[in-house]
Amino acid sequence: MSRTDRPAPPTAALRRARLATFAFFGLNGFVLGMWIVHIPVIEERTGVSHSTLGALLLVLGGAALASMQVAGPLSDRLGHRTVVTGAGILISAAVIAPGLATGPWALAAALVALGLGNGGLDVAMNAHAVEVERGYGRPVMSAFHAVFSVGSVAAAAVGAPLLAHQVAPGATLTVVAVVGIVAACLAGRGLLAELPPQQEAAGAPADAADTGSGTGRRPLGRALWLLGALTFALMLCEGVAYDWSTLHLRDVLDASVGTAALAYGAFSVAMTGGRFAADRVSALLGPVRVVRYGAALAAVGLATAAASPWIAGALAGWTLFGIGLSGCVPQFFTAAGNLDPNASGAAIAKVGGLGYLGLLAGPAVIGALTHWMPLNAAFVLPVVLCVVGAASARVLRPAAARSQAAVAVESSAEA
């Protein structure tokens, strides 16, 4: 890349917007993480069974999905700054309610509110992140997702000692809510009030290019469904790691409880570290190679974990699985947001919604398969989905590259 091809240095406003976006991703991870670490205590307090809790978690997921579909178009209409800040305040305030619930109906209402805030913030902050990335003119999306993971880890680090000292969940979550509301209000001031000058949208997929009909219309629907399907497939694989990695070591390899927990830890650390590195890799190699080789590495990693008769081999496999998946999904969000810069929120709502469905479906699908086959054999499904993701990475090929290739072909033909 020559000096003249490099994007202009980011303005002070754009740098502030990037820091503010980091803050909201971290806030989302931290608030959700604080709810998750309190689930056992809240389950006991409300007197719900495991099966009832599972149903209530589906209620949370349904509320989040509904909120995503509303928040996307609303973000395009009102501006990402307004919706991101509002959703950040909502999820922070809503996290109090589960800690105060005393029965299943109160907990259900609390989880609806929490789901609405989570879904709205998820879509709006990703849409804003696409605008920040477009202003920078280089990949920055994966680091935002890494900070979400850091927020989740911070929640575990804060929540575990408080639970050990038997601090009431209502008190803890009230403090979390106050801190979150203040943080959302302060960070919201740094978000972009107006769209940054548009650099070349390097993440726009090839299917977003003109159809060649001369009308300039783009087959956004087809490209969006392709991106959504790939996001669904790879987030399903991610969900498998969250719910089944520890059980895999425990049940298949007969590891101790403490050792089995290392599988989830290895995956999570690898996922977080990989996302911090993925932007630089994407800038060097492009989003197509990030997904192609990342998904292929994930397939190799999970196959290794499933086939290994040794705990060390399985841990190595789960680590490779996390590294491989780490950079994939952020590329799909970037591509969806660049299909139509005037409707990035709506596009991300659709792609993110399908991804969220995959995240919820993954554990359930593997659980169903274990009725007919061993757990490690059931992992063949996510392995196949990773292979499909690697084979389909071409959908992320930048439209600009496609146009340049077409010009080169036409020039050769004329010559």
Side-chain angles (χ1 to χ4, degrees), residues 249-277:
L249 260 69
R250 179 68 177 152
D251 295 348
V252 176
L253 299 179
D254 199 28
S256 67
V257 174
T259 301
L262 293 176
Y264 174 70
F267 172 82
S268 299
V269 170
M271 174 76 81
T272 303
R275 282 181 169 168
F276 276 120

Side-chain angles (χ1 to χ4, degrees), residues 218-245:
R218 301 177 177 184
L220 298 183
R222 178 173 177 268
L224 208 57
W225 281 112
L226 284 172
L227 292 170
L230 290 173
T231 306
F232 174 89
L234 294 188
M235 288 190 72
L236 185 150
C237 298
E238 191 175 329
V240 169
Y242 290 145
D243 281 42
W244 291 103
S245 56

Side-chain angles (χ1 to χ4, degrees), residues 72-80 127 130-131 134 195-196 198 218 220 336-348:
L74 195 64
S75 185
D76 294 329
R77 178 173 297 182
L78 301 180
H80 305 318
V130 169
E131 302 295 353
R134 189 179 296 126
L195 300 186
Q198 292 188 13
R218 301 177 177 184
L220 298 183
N338 283 323
L339 284 173
D340 183 353
N342 295 319
S344 58
I348 289 175

Side-chain angles (χ1 to χ4, degrees), residues 277-290:
D279 287 329
R280 185 175 294 275
V281 175
S282 181
L284 290 173
L285 302 179
V288 174
R289 289 186 176 91
V290 169

